[in-house]
Amino acid sequence: MAEHEEKHEESLLEKITEKIKGGSSSSSSDSDDDKPSESSMKEKVFRLFGREKPVHHVFGGGKQADIFLWRNKKVSAGALSVATAIWVLFELFEYHLLTLVCHLLILTLALLFLWSNATTFIHKSPPRIPEVQIPKDPVIEFVQALRFEINRALAVLRNIASGRDIKKFLSVIAGLWVLSIVGNWCNFLTLFYIVFVLLHTVPVLYEKYEDKVDPFAEKAWHEIKKQYAVFDAKVLSKIPRGPLKEKKKD
């Protein structure tokens, strides 16, 4: 009987210890689940312009993004070469657009005309000139998209002119002032070419060195915000602003 009681006590002790171990393991797992993940504990990484997606998605993620980020090097190099050739023709050689179009048409028509008449003497088939037509749907889509962007720009300008947002007003005025200075340095074609070259160089360099650029941009952004807070406290806060809400019509 004594041996049976000892065995019964040992079995009870083993069950109690197993329950204690199971409870501690479950509580530890629950506490681990309650703890936030390491990724959530880490601070959000600063990205330039507040972006959360890769650079390729920012540019639309399509063929235009592949061109700007040099995914297809032949197409990107070809687009940059064509833009450079156009800029050289119009700026360095001082060619005019109407003159260039007329000369190209004269050359093309003359070659096709001579080729079509020469085939009767050399006994070869005449050239097949394709029928070129402008499709309707892409033109309508482009016009609608242009209309939407113009209307949105006009709405933004109206909102700025209403005097509700001093910060946006100053940023737009500063941007227009910078554009006016750049316009004195170069004409529209040169400015367009500079923007085109920047679009083909800056994004791909930023994508390659974004881990080095973003920390520097974060420091610069914090400094700008600090200086703007001082400027807001000393100057902007003392400027009377327009009504926040328009008066309701009776």
Side-chain angles (χ1 to χ4, degrees):
M1 291 290 291
E3 292 179 357
H4 182 69
E5 290 178 355
E6 289 177 359
K7 290 181 180 179
H8 183 66
E9 290 177 357
E10 289 178 357
S11 63
L12 286 174
L13 290 173
E14 289 177 356
K15 289 180 180 179
I16 292 170
T17 52
E18 286 178 357
K19 288 183 179 180
I20 293 171
K21 289 180 180 179
S24 61
S25 63
S26 62
S27 61
S28 62
S29 63
D30 292 338
S31 62
D32 291 339
D33 293 336
D34 293 336
K35 290 181 180 179
S37 60
E38 294 181 357
S39 60
S40 62
M41 289 292 290
K42 292 182 180 179
E43 293 183 356
K44 189 177 180 180
V45 179
F46 179 87
R47 293 298 181 190
L48 199 61
F49 304 117
R51 65 179 182 86
E52 297 179 356
K53 298 179 180 180
V55 182
H56 191 267
H57 287 280
V58 173
F59 280 94
K63 293 182 179 180
Q64 68 274 10
D66 294 338
I67 294 173
F68 290 139
L69 298 175
W70 292 76
R71 296 287 194 270
N72 192 340
K73 295 183 178 179
K74 291 183 179 180
V75 177
S76 301
L80 194 58
S81 300
V82 170
T84 304
I86 293 173
W87 181 77
V88 169
L89 278 174
F90 289 117
E91 288 299 318
L92 298 184
F93 296 158
E94 296 183 353
Y95 231 73
H96 297 285
L97 178 61
L98 183 60
T99 305
L100 178 63
V101 171
C102 291
H103 286 178
L104 288 176
L105 287 175
I106 290 170
L107 181 61
T108 304
L109 291 174
L111 289 175
L112 291 175
F113 181 81
L114 292 175
W115 188 5
S116 299
N117 286 280
T119 53
T120 58
F121 298 101
I122 60 178
H123 303 289
K124 288 187 177 182
S125 60
R128 295 181 179 178
I129 302 173
E131 294 183 2
V132 180
Q133 293 181 351
I134 299 176
K136 181 180 179 181
D137 293 337
V139 174
I140 294 175
E141 291 177 0
F142 174 76
V143 172
Q144 289 178 349
L146 183 62
R147 172 181 169 274
F148 175 76
E149 294 297 332
I150 292 174
N151 288 335
R152 188 169 66 172
L154 292 175
V156 171
L157 292 175
R158 180 181 179 275
N159 189 19
I160 292 170
S162 63
R164 298 174 184 176
D165 194 342
I166 286 275
K167 185 178 179 180
K168 189 180 292 184
F169 170 75
L170 292 176
S171 61
V172 171
I173 293 298
L176 292 174
W177 181 67
V178 171
L179 281 177
S180 65
I181 294 175
V182 174
N184 287 328
W185 294 344
C186 56
N187 57 16
F188 180 76
L189 180 62
T190 303
L191 180 61
F192 179 80
Y193 176 69
I194 291 172
V195 172
F196 191 83
V197 172
L198 290 176
L199 285 174
H200 281 77
T201 52
V202 174
V204 66
L205 292 175
Y206 171 70
E207 187 183 38
K208 187 176 182 180
Y209 300 105
E210 62 179 341
D211 293 335
K212 297 179 181 179
V213 174
D214 287 338
F216 177 78
E218 183 178 11
K219 294 179 182 178
W221 179 245
H222 287 318
E223 186 64 26
I224 291 172
K225 289 176 69 176
K226 188 187 299 183
Q227 297 298 328
Y228 176 78
V230 174
F231 182 70
D232 187 18
K234 293 183 178 180
V235 179
L236 298 183
S237 60
K238 299 178 181 179
I239 298 175
R241 303 185 181 184
L244 295 177
K245 294 182 180 179
E246 295 181 356
K247 294 181 180 180
K248 295 183 179 179
K249 295 182 179 180
D250 295 335

